[in-house]
Amino acid sequence: MAINRLPPRPPPPPPPPPAPKVAAPKVAARANALATRAQPPVIPSKDSFQPASATKSLASTRLAAKPVAKQATAPASTARSFASVQAKGTVRAQGTARVQGTAQAQGTVRAQGATQAQGTVQAQGTLRAQGTAQAQPAGFLGGLSQGIQNLGQGIQDLAHDTVEGATNVAQGVAQGATNVAQGVAQGATDLFNGAVEGATNVAQGVAQGATDLFNGAVQGAQDLAQGVAQGAQDLAQGVAQGATDLFNGAVQGAQDLAQGVVEGAQDLAEGTAHVVQQGLDALNTGVNGTGNYAPDPATGFGTTPPGTPIPPGARPVQDPQPTGVPGVSIDPDDGWIVGAGPTGPTAYPPNTPADQVQPFTPEGQDPNAPRPTILFTNGILTNSADEARAAQQLANQTGANVVCVHNGTNGGVVDVTQAGGDLVNLPGNAATNTLTNLMTQAAQSGEPVYVAAHSQGGIITSDALLHTKNNLRAQGMSADQVEQVMGNFNVQTFGGAAPVYPSGPNYTHVVHPGDPVSGPLGMGNPLNAASAIAQGQQVIVAPNPAPIYGDPFQNHGFSGYVPQAGLPS
């Protein structure tokens, strides 16, 4: 069997002449023979290779490279190398750069024009080509030769780098030892200088302290001596001034004493004369009276302005009606509420709420102005018209509104008999029932309540206050709560006939020494007055308005008590 043998491989072409070396400062160019057979290019790189197209002006192939400080530049228009080219630095070619063999560059390879390589192109750094970059494959033997050359170059570079590293280590150790020695020397110098400076400062401080101590001791001794001298001088001046003041004081005291004795004697004489005159005046007043009576109200008093509302059942006050029995009459207004009205004093039904009753207001003042209201109850032998007159006097004197509870008169005998029954709290007095109802309503308001009474009206007021307290207890209040509520009541009696009053309210009792009613029955009696004062009540003894001779009831009339009336401050 015939064997077809391949023709033998032609021998490689002769190597081209070595490329001219490119002059560059501090650049080492290495070249070897190029392989003759083209093989696929083998470019070991750690980065990507991106060839430029024929239509682009810039193509960049960047490979990992170890930067070096040296650069080589090939500015020739055409650079050809038919051996191995190695460069550390920058290789630049303007025109056509051709390499047949191995081209190695550590640094930057730049070519402007056409770049052709037959064999292997290795670059550590950046390979840039402007124009057309073509790679012609090298043969197998060329690649093997290039690999062997690269291995040798690597061993050479390793040895070179090892020697260079050892040299650098030795230099670093030597430099470190030198720096340590210099640091130790400098530290010793600084330590010695600091010790010397510290010792100097300590010595200076001790010397300065001793100087300051000595100066302070001298100054202290001087100050002490001056203080002692000044103190002795002040003491001497004080003793002298004290002796002078003592003498002057004794003289002034003797003068003041003499003047005081003279003035005291004069005051005593004047005081004695004044007291004597007061005694004579009191005696004259007690015998003849002060003549101090409240004036009668103006004509037409108790008339409300036109259009003032009046509740149903209200009517003008009426006089008592005779019964045919001598000294006995019937009072149609007994137990009714008396106030102002369209035609003058008006009687309101007993169950009328207090806020619907038109009060008597101070004459000459705005009748609609806000002011407190006094509940007033009259004594015996007083008809409703006379009570209205007394209420107007009370309003003019106190400046308050006045609403009356009428204690009707049925004649002297009947009135006195009724008053006796009131003293023992007998039921049946219409005025007591009406006043109790009004007081209970007022107590529930929580506002101050003002009450006034004259003669038998004092007894009616005492009974009504007691009934009011009972009503409050019946409504569920405790005894303490009732006392607290009753503390809002302010009660004034004028010649009142009641000997005692319930606890709780604030009381002021006014009596005349010549009053024949309050003297034996009410607070004109010293025993009753003492008991009331012991309970915190106030008792005022006012001068008689009338003489003690003649008609004794002149000192019991309400108009003689009105000048002492007033509201609590």
Side-chain angles (χ1 to χ4, degrees):
M1 180 175 55
I3 298 174
N4 293 325
R5 297 181 180 273
L6 294 174
R9 179 177 299 178
K21 294 182 180 181
V22 180
K26 298 181 180 180
V27 175
R30 300 175 182 178
N32 292 320
L34 299 176
T36 60
R37 299 290 300 271
Q39 294 290 339
V42 179
I43 303 176
S45 67
K46 295 181 182 179
D47 296 328
S48 60
F49 174 72
Q50 298 175 350
S53 64
T55 61
K56 294 183 180 180
S57 63
L58 177 62
S60 177
T61 302
R62 301 176 183 267
L63 302 178
K66 177 173 65 177
V68 295
K70 299 178 180 181
Q71 297 180 349
T73 304
S77 61
T78 302
R80 297 182 179 180
S81 177
F82 297 92
S84 176
V85 178
Q86 294 181 351
K88 294 183 179 180
T90 302
V91 179
R92 296 179 181 175
Q94 295 180 353
T96 302
R98 297 179 179 177
V99 179
Q100 292 181 353
T102 300
Q104 294 181 348
Q106 293 182 352
T108 303
V109 179
R110 296 179 181 175
Q112 295 180 352
T115 303
Q116 297 178 352
Q118 292 180 353
T120 301
V121 178
Q122 294 180 348
Q124 293 182 353
T126 303
L127 175 62
R128 296 180 180 176
Q130 293 181 349
T132 303
Q134 297 178 355
Q136 298 180 1
F140 173 76
L141 294 179
L144 178 60
S145 173
Q146 183 64 40
I148 294 173
Q149 289 178 3
N150 291 342
L151 178 60
Q153 182 63 39
I155 294 173
Q156 182 179 358
D157 291 342
L158 176 61
H160 178 270
D161 292 343
T162 301
V163 172
E164 183 177 358
T167 301
N168 292 336
V169 169
Q171 291 177 354
V173 171
Q175 183 64 38
T178 302
N179 292 339
V180 169
Q182 291 178 353
V184 171
Q186 183 64 39
T189 301
D190 294 341
L191 178 62
F192 176 76
N193 292 338
V196 172
E197 184 177 357
T200 301
N201 292 337
V202 170
Q204 291 177 353
V206 171
Q208 184 64 39
T211 302
D212 294 342
L213 178 61
F214 175 76
N215 293 337
V218 172
Q219 184 64 41
Q222 292 176 354
D223 293 341
L224 178 60
Q226 291 178 357
V228 171
Q230 184 65 41
Q233 182 179 357
D234 293 342
L235 177 60
Q237 292 178 354
V239 171
Q241 184 65 41
T244 302
D245 294 341
L246 179 61
F247 176 77
N248 293 337
V251 173
Q252 184 64 41
Q255 294 175 352
D256 292 342
L257 177 60
Q259 184 177 356
V261 170
V262 174
E263 291 178 355
Q266 294 175 351
D267 292 341
L268 179 61
E270 293 175 359
T272 302
H274 183 67
V275 169
V276 171
Q277 184 61 45
Q278 284 184 334
L280 294 175
D281 292 342
L283 179 60
N284 179 62
T285 298
V287 173
N288 300 309
T290 63
N292 189 14
Y293 295 92
D296 288 336
T299 303
F301 75 93
T303 302
T304 58
T308 302
I310 300 297
R315 54 172 175 75
V317 296
Q318 298 178 4
D319 291 333
Q321 302 297 316
T323 62
V325 177
V328 178
S329 61
I330 298 297
D331 193 337
D333 294 338
D334 185 22
W336 282 51
I337 302 172
V338 177
T343 60
T346 302
Y348 295 80
N351 60 353
T352 304
D355 59 356
Q356 295 184 16
V357 177
Q358 297 299 322
F360 296 96
T361 61
E363 292 178 331
Q365 299 184 21
D366 181 6
N368 297 319
R371 55 177 65 91
T373 299
I374 298 175
L375 298 176
F376 173 65
T377 306
N378 61 282
I380 65 172
L381 298 174
T382 304
N383 58 34
S384 54
D386 290 341
E387 183 185 25
R389 187 178 297 105
Q392 186 63 61
Q393 290 175 332
L394 185 62
N396 294 341
Q397 176 66 29
T398 61
N401 294 337
V402 178
V403 172
C404 302
V405 174
H406 181 54
N407 173 31
T409 178
N410 302 112
V413 175
V414 177
D415 289 353
V416 171
T417 302
Q418 184 189 51
D422 293 339
L423 284 174
V424 294
N425 201 19
L426 292 179
N429 191 322
T432 301
N433 297 335
T434 302
L435 183 58
T436 299
N437 183 41
L438 293 175
M439 286 184 174
T440 301
Q441 295 178 27
Q444 294 171 343
S445 69
E447 299 295 328
V449 182
Y450 300 95
V451 180
H454 173 243
S455 189
Q456 183 191 2
I459 304 175
I460 295 173
T461 298
S462 178
D463 292 344
L465 288 170
L466 183 61
H467 295 329
T468 300
K469 294 179 68 173
N470 293 336
N471 290 342
L472 296 177
R473 289 296 302 274
Q475 293 175 2
M477 288 189 183
S478 66
D480 291 340
Q481 290 175 332
V482 170
E483 291 297 318
Q484 183 177 1
V485 169
M486 296 305 293
N488 293 328
F489 281 72
N490 301 277
V491 180
Q492 282 185 315
T493 66
F494 304 96
V500 294
Y501 293 85
S503 62
N506 306 299
Y507 294 97
T508 300
H509 307 290
V510 182
V511 296
H512 293 153
D515 189 334
V517 176
S518 64
L521 300 177
M523 294 302 159
N525 185 320
L527 296 179
N528 296 339
S531 177
I533 293 172
Q535 297 177 29
Q537 301 176 22
Q538 186 178 12
V539 178
I540 298 176
V541 179
N544 289 325
I548 60 175
Y549 53 86
D551 184 0
F553 287 97
Q554 289 182 341
N555 289 319
H556 182 65
F558 183 70
S559 61
Y561 277 107
V562 171
Q564 283 77 42
L567 293 174
S569 56

